[in-house]
Amino acid sequence: SDEEMVSNFLQMERDALAAMLEAKMEPAVVEEEEKQSEEIVVQDGAYATQRHLLRGSENGDINEGGKDETVAIHDFSNAQYYGSVSIGTPPQSFKVIFDTGSSNLWVPKEGCSHCGYKIFGLGKDKYNHSKSSSYKENGEEFKIVYGSGAVNGFFSKETVTVSDDVSVTGMDFAEVTDAGGLGIGYVMGRFDGIMGLAFSSISIKGKPTFMDLLLEQNVLKEPIFSFYLGDNTEGELTFGGVDEEKYEGEIEYVDLISSTYWEIDVDGISAGDYSMGKTTAIVDSGTSLLTGPKKEVSKLALQVGAKPNMVRKSFDLYH
C-alpha cells in the first residue's frame, strides 16, 4: 500500500543516514552516476493568482517593493541539506531542513525529549518562548506521524525570519516536546527542526505555511522560491526570485498536478535496458533518496549497478 511504502521509505532514510555516519561512507539509493549541482525552481499558478489579488495590479507576479533574499544551504555528506531560520524577538536561531514534502514549521522546545544529547555533541538548539517578546500562546496540539512513531508538541505564534529580513509575523509553528518518532536520524542529524514548503492543504490543523504568509504580508518580489544544491559544498535557497548566476539558458516551468506536495507528471524513466512510461513524482527537498514502487525500483536499481541491502530494504550505490 502507499502507506506502507512511505513508512518503509522513512525508515530506510533514517537507517541510511545512521549507516553513513558510522561507516564514514555515503550510500546513495539509485542516484545519478554523476552528481551535479541542480537548480530547482517551483512556482504555482495559485500563488501567482493570490499575489495578483493582494497587489490589486494587472501584473500579479511582480512586487517592485518586495524582496528576494538568499539563505545558505549547508551540505552534510550529500545526505542532509539545511539552513538557518530565526524565531522570536530577539531572534533565536535554528538549523532546519527546508522541506517541500511537508508544510509545517517545527523546532524543539526547552525540555524536549529525544532531542539529542549535548554530552556527545549531538544536542539541538531549543526554543524558549519566555525569552521572546513576540511570542503569543496558541496551545493547540501538534502531532505528525513518521514511519517509526510520532513527533509531538503544541502550536505557538511567533515572528519567523529567514536570511536577513524575509520575515512574517503571527505564524503558527510547533514547539516540539518529544521527537522520538524521528529516531536515530534526528538524534545524529545536523538539523534542529523542519520548515515545510509544501501547501496548506496538507498542513497539520490547516495552518498557513511560511510561503502563504510571505505572500499575504506582501514580502516577496515574486511568488517563487528556488534551490541550488551543492555537491558536498554550500548551496542556497532564494525566496522571492532565482539566482541567475547559477544556471545558463532558460528555465522551463512544469505544471503541478495537485496543490498538496510539489507533485508533477513524469513522461518516462529509463536506464540501460529499463524503461517505464508516464507516471507521477513528488519533488521533495527534504530527502536525499529516490523512492518508488518496489518492483520498478528493483529493475531500475539493477540497471545502474546498485546492490540490494536486505537490512535496510533498499539498494546501495557507492561512487
Side-chain angles (χ1 to χ4, degrees):
S1 70
D2 289 345
E3 183 176 351
E4 289 174 337
M5 185 177 73
V6 171
S7 176
N8 289 337
F9 163 64
L10 290 168
Q11 185 63 55
M12 177 178 64
E13 185 176 45
R14 286 188 290 274
D15 292 344
L17 176 60
M20 178 198 67
L21 291 169
E22 292 172 2
K24 303 299 182 182
M25 298 179 66
E26 185 190 351
V29 180
V30 200
E31 293 185 333
E32 296 176 352
E33 291 187 6
E34 293 184 4
K35 296 185 179 180
Q36 299 176 345
S37 297
E38 179 180 10
E39 183 85 19
I40 303 173
V41 181
V42 285
Q43 181 178 29
D44 177 43
Y47 277 156
T49 300
Q50 182 181 14
R51 173 57 63 89
H52 173 78
L53 295 174
L54 289 170
R55 300 290 172 270
S57 64
E58 294 183 357
N59 183 0
D61 292 344
I62 302 295
N63 170 23
E64 295 298 341
K67 301 167 183 174
D68 57 340
E69 299 280 351
T70 295
V71 181
I73 298 296
H74 307 292
D75 180 348
F76 175 40
S77 298
N78 280 355
Q80 290 179 355
Y81 298 88
Y82 58 92
S84 294
V85 62
S86 296
I87 301 175
T89 309
Q92 300 174 42
S93 183
F94 303 92
K95 298 181 291 292
V96 299
I97 292 177
F98 291 94
D99 178 25
T100 56
S102 65
S103 299
N104 296 90
L105 168 63
W106 65 260
V107 296
K109 72 176 295 292
E110 287 287 339
C112 175
S113 300
H114 306 108
C115 289
Y117 307 97
K118 288 190 179 296
I119 189 173
F120 299 116
L122 298 172
K124 306 297 182 182
D125 290 321
K126 300 178 176 66
Y127 172 74
N128 186 337
H129 62 232
S130 68
K131 294 183 178 180
S132 174
S133 62
S134 51
Y135 159 77
K136 293 183 180 179
E137 183 179 358
N138 178 308
E140 290 181 275
E141 180 186 17
F142 173 82
K143 180 177 182 179
I144 187 166
V145 178
Y146 294 91
S148 60
V151 174
N152 297 284
F154 57 88
F155 282 102
S156 296
K157 284 185 180 289
E158 261 290 13
T159 296
V160 178
T161 304
V162 298
S163 190
D164 293 328
D165 58 356
V166 174
S167 183
V168 299
T169 59
M171 179 174 179
D172 287 304
F173 79 104
E175 297 187 46
V176 164
T177 56
D178 189 339
L182 285 176
I184 192 67
Y186 179 60
V187 173
M188 300 181 71
R190 299 297 178 89
F191 64 100
D192 303 313
I194 292 177
M195 167 74 86
L197 293 175
F199 295 86
S200 57
S201 59
I202 60 169
S203 172
I204 304 298
K205 305 285 188 181
K207 300 299 185 183
T209 67
F210 184 61
M211 277 296 291
D212 285 340
L213 295 175
L214 287 174
L215 299 179
E216 179 182 313
Q217 297 178 22
N218 201 22
V219 176
L220 298 182
K221 185 176 182 180
E222 296 182 82
I224 291 174
F225 62 87
S226 56
F227 284 94
Y228 177 84
L229 300 181
D231 184 359
N232 282 313
T233 188
E234 297 288 276
E236 63 182 41
L237 166 59
T238 302
F239 285 94
V242 179
D243 185 347
E244 296 182 354
E245 295 183 358
K246 293 296 190 296
Y247 67 94
E248 297 179 354
E250 299 296 324
I251 292 175
E252 181 176 346
Y253 289 93
V254 179
D255 291 335
L256 297 180
I257 61 175
S258 71
S259 294
T260 51
Y261 304 96
W262 294 96
E263 187 175 1
I264 59 174
D265 283 320
V266 176
D267 294 332
I269 299 173
S270 63
D273 296 330
Y274 170 81
S275 66
M276 67 175 293
K278 187 174 182 179
T279 184
T280 62
I282 293 169
V283 182
D284 184 359
S285 63
T287 178
S288 60
L289 306 181
L290 302 180
T291 185
K294 181 179 180 179
K295 182 179 179 181
E296 299 302 322
V297 169
S298 297
K299 296 176 183 178
L300 178 62
L302 295 176
Q303 289 295 318
V304 298
K307 304 298 183 183
N309 186 317
M310 303 309 295
V311 175
R312 295 198 298 271
K313 298 180 181 179
S314 67
F315 288 84
D316 295 343
L317 179 62
Y318 295 95
H319 298 280

